[in-house]
Amino acid sequence: MRPDLERQAAPASGENSVADVLIVGSGASGSVAAARLAGAGFRVICLEQGDWVHTADYMSATPEAELAWVQRWNPDPVARRNPADYPLTGEADVRPVMYNGVGGGLVQWAAMWQPLLASDFKVRSLDGVADDWPITWAELADQYGRVARDLSVSGLADDPALPEMAAYPNPPVPIGKVGMAAARGMDRLGWHWWPGANAIASRRHGALQACQRRGTCMTGCPENAKATPSLTHWPRALAAGARLVTGARVAEIPLDDRGRAIGAAYLDSDGVEHLQRARVVVLAANAVGTARLLLLSASARFPDGLANSSGLVGRRLMQHPYRTVTAVCEESLESWQGPWGQNIYSLQFAETHPDRDFVRGAKWMVMPHGGPMFAVGEYHDAHRLAGFEALWGENFHRAAAEVFGHAFAWGIQAEDLPEEHNRVILDDEVCDSSGLPAARIEYRLSENARRMLDFNVARAVEAAEAAGATSVMVRGLWPTGIGHVLGTTRMGDDPATSVVDRWCRSHDVPNLYVIDGGVFVTGGSANPTATIMANALRVTEHMIDERSSQEVPL
């Protein structure tokens, strides 16, 4: 840490006080930690490099909602270019998707709610690949249910493909004509399907209003029916005394002479440098942002990056590679109606099967098909039509007439096994607007994942045809991810092969924790938010229980 940071002071951001816990990142995991810790009486400060997103900022209720996805609400930060975003460089097969702001990626998520499978925690034992988690599904069972209540999840319990779990607080959002059509095909094939669970209120519940089924969830819900931390967790955290500092880009986690974290050095929106001191530091900046920050915090004690004695910080990045199969039907499916989350899902092919040439599996989910621009764009991509003329005039109307309102999509989300060459590193040349090195993404799709996707796409074509599709559109690998970045700071019992322990505390720095998706040992095929938030709750409650034995800087 530079000596001048020791002299900085900014009373407006609370630097004259020492936080009991400093959290970096206000999204899925950071909001859970802030609410629970502040509620237990801890002095909590959270640093968030983005800003608040208000209902008035959403464009979902406007005629130009689909256009908003092109730039202002594009899920890819490289295309979106918000002031809070930082560059992601590198030639990756799949580019990560994220959002910087209060609520993090949950500002722009589709709100699909899915726990991991029990087998996802013991992949090495069952399938001889990757590693087992140091914890089991049962150790998250209670937290899964409690976080689902906090987020007003709507769903139907007792899916036989999942472990037994608590009932959801709300009934599922209607699966609509889209779900009914897709389910018809699955029934004809005898394959598993279940009504989708979504963190979208099907009726007024807690802080959320009832879903109006606009189908534009990804550009924000103007009715506040979709769960985001700004509605579900931050009001409670702030009421309990937590402080949330926005526009705070963290540059380094400095250490004292004993190797304890003393807080975070950050730059405010004006570029002024500050040091916020804390007894405990919790990183919740997602698997890319946290890995980047640890690498930025290299020192003489940790020349390869903070808490990186294992050499695994940034490595084993997993992203859930994704493809879609769209069924176009003659009947009207009203497929512009929401929610944008999963109408139904299937775990038919989510487990390893000895007759297949790959291990592990994929989750399928049915989604609506959006408005006319989305429908035409899907037609254009699936048919590999080139040039502006393919989307203009008669061609536009032909594609819209065929697809708009008549299609549903099976999204196929493949498990991505951890591989050390898939990683986050610091870029040697490109910096963000604060002069900090950008995150460079090195990611190549594995042969196992490629075979898995090909197999599942072929089965999804069968399901679409069984549903009565008049035509089927198949898309290749999505070049931008679906917002699931996992595995760059994995948990484990052995310091030589993991970054944090089973309680997500750094093996190297005893008052430094990581609670975002980076701690995942394997990725499973499920949407990870439920597990990220359940694990954050598990870890923070352990911190509360063990506060008397926590090592802190002098």
Side-chain angles (χ1 to χ4, degrees):
M1 184 181 68
R2 297 196 309 275
D4 59 311
L5 287 178
E6 291 280 7
R7 298 190 294 271
Q8 293 291 337
S13 64
E15 291 183 58
N16 287 343
S17 63
V18 177
D20 292 326
V21 181
L22 176 66
I23 301 170
V24 179
S26 67
S29 57
S31 63
V32 168
R36 187 66 185 90
L37 291 167
F42 286 74
R43 287 174 292 178
V44 175
I45 295 177
C46 179
L47 302 179
E48 166 56 54
Q49 70 177 22
D51 205 343
W52 288 90
V53 181
H54 302 285
T55 305
D57 299 321
Y58 299 146
M59 300 182 70
S60 297
T62 67
E64 61 271 26
E66 286 191 285
L67 284 172
W69 252 1
V70 176
Q71 184 168 357
R72 180 174 174 181
W73 282 97
N74 194 305
D76 184 351
V78 177
R80 189 174 58 238
R81 296 184 180 179
N82 279 355
D85 293 328
Y86 51 85
L88 299 178
T89 65
E91 297 296 325
D93 288 345
V94 179
R95 300 191 305 275
V97 167
M98 61 189 68
Y99 191 91
N100 295 308
V102 177
L106 301 200
V107 171
Q108 236 178 330
W109 71 322
M112 300 175 192
W113 191 260
Q114 195 85 39
L116 287 173
L117 301 173
S119 65
D120 292 328
F121 291 84
K122 46 186 179 181
V123 172
R124 167 62 67 174
S125 296
L126 292 174
D127 299 311
V129 296
D131 291 297
D132 292 347
W133 290 52
I135 62 173
T136 65
W137 195 98
E139 292 175 73
L140 291 177
D142 177 64
Q143 288 84 0
Y144 273 134
R146 290 162 59 197
V147 175
R149 289 194 297 273
D150 289 342
L151 269 71
S152 301
V153 173
S154 300
L156 182 66
D158 300 324
D159 178 357
L162 293 172
E164 184 176 348
M165 44 193 301
Y168 294 113
N170 295 305
V173 176
I175 67 174
K177 293 182 179 181
V178 164
M180 292 294 289
R184 181 172 63 229
M186 300 299 275
D187 286 344
R188 288 172 178 167
L189 295 168
W191 291 350
H192 167 270
W193 68 271
W194 200 256
N198 298 283
I200 297 170
S202 59
R203 60 188 178 186
R204 186 171 181 176
H205 184 274
L208 304 186
Q209 305 300 311
C211 175
Q212 300 301 305
R213 304 190 66 193
R214 289 183 183 272
T216 51
C217 309
M218 297 289 284
T219 50
C221 177
E223 280 81 28
N224 289 334
K226 185 179 79 169
T228 59
S230 60
L231 297 173
T232 61
H233 285 77
W234 277 110
R236 178 157 45 99
L238 296 173
R243 301 184 65 183
L244 176 56
V245 181
T246 58
R249 177 168 280 164
V250 179
E252 181 186 358
I253 305 299
L255 306 178
D256 67 8
D257 292 340
R258 298 188 305 147
R260 283 17 173 202
I262 63 171
Y266 73 93
L267 296 94
D268 64 23
S269 56
D270 294 321
V272 178
E273 298 172 335
H274 306 273
L275 174 64
Q276 175 58 61
R277 292 186 174 272
R279 294 181 173 86
V280 173
V281 176
V282 176
L283 302 185
N286 84 36
V288 172
T290 289
R292 178 193 185 218
L293 178 54
L294 291 173
L295 295 173
L296 285 171
S297 301
S299 63
R301 186 186 293 266
F302 293 105
D304 298 321
L306 182 61
N308 195 23
S309 64
S310 66
L312 290 176
V313 168
R315 293 188 180 272
R316 304 186 184 183
L317 172 67
M318 298 173 282
Q319 291 197 81
H320 284 154
Y322 188 78
R323 293 182 64 182
T324 55
V325 172
T326 297
V328 181
C329 301
E330 187 174 347
E331 66 195 275
S332 172
L333 300 179
E334 299 176 346
S335 52
W336 56 84
Q337 289 192 354
W340 190 261
Q342 53 192 358
N343 296 73
I344 69 172
Y345 66 88
S346 174
L347 299 174
Q348 178 70 31
F349 303 106
E351 302 271 14
T352 295
H353 193 284
D355 293 341
R356 300 172 195 149
D357 62 351
F358 56 88
V359 294
R360 305 306 299 155
K363 176 200 167 188
W364 299 10
M365 50 268 188
V366 160
M367 294 165 290
H369 211 255
M373 288 190 61
F374 190 93
V376 172
E378 182 81 354
Y379 183 95
H380 178 274
D381 290 341
H383 290 282
R384 296 177 173 83
L385 301 178
F388 182 72
E389 292 298 324
L391 287 174
W392 189 250
E394 291 183 4
N395 291 327
F396 180 95
H397 290 285
R398 183 184 306 112
E402 179 179 338
V403 179
F404 176 53
H406 292 270
F408 67 84
W410 276 115
I412 299 169
Q413 187 167 281
E415 178 164 352
D416 201 5
L417 292 173
E419 298 181 287
E420 292 198 18
H421 63 269
N422 288 336
R423 61 178 184 163
V424 179
I425 60 175
L426 299 180
D427 196 290
D428 292 333
E429 299 178 356
V430 180
C431 293
D432 64 19
S433 59
S434 299
L436 302 175
R440 181 176 178 85
I441 309 301
E442 296 182 351
Y443 177 90
R444 291 290 176 259
L445 185 69
S446 71
E447 188 58 33
N448 187 75
R450 194 177 304 278
R451 290 195 295 265
M452 183 190 304
L453 284 167
D454 288 344
F455 171 87
N456 279 272
V457 163
R459 302 293 79 72
V461 170
E462 293 178 38
E465 292 172 344
T470 56
S471 65
V472 179
M473 300 186 295
V474 176
R475 287 188 66 176
L477 181 70
W478 281 38
T480 52
I482 52 176
H484 304 169
V485 286
L486 310 166
T488 58
T489 51
R490 60 155 293 183
M491 72 164 84
D493 293 329
D494 184 355
T497 58
S498 57
V499 177
V500 298
D501 66 16
R502 64 175 53 237
W503 298 109
C504 296
R505 180 169 62 181
S506 163
H507 291 298
D508 297 340
V509 183
N511 67 330
L512 176 68
Y513 291 76
V514 178
I515 60 171
D516 54 41
V519 304
F520 278 43
V521 179
T522 53
S525 60
N527 305 71
T529 302
T531 302
I532 290 171
M533 299 182 83
N535 184 62
L537 182 57
R538 179 187 72 92
V539 170
T540 51
E541 291 189 330
H542 179 76
M543 292 171 64
I544 293 167
D545 292 342
E546 300 295 321
R547 69 177 85 186
S548 62
S549 61
Q550 174 66 59
E551 295 185 47
V552 298
L554 296 177

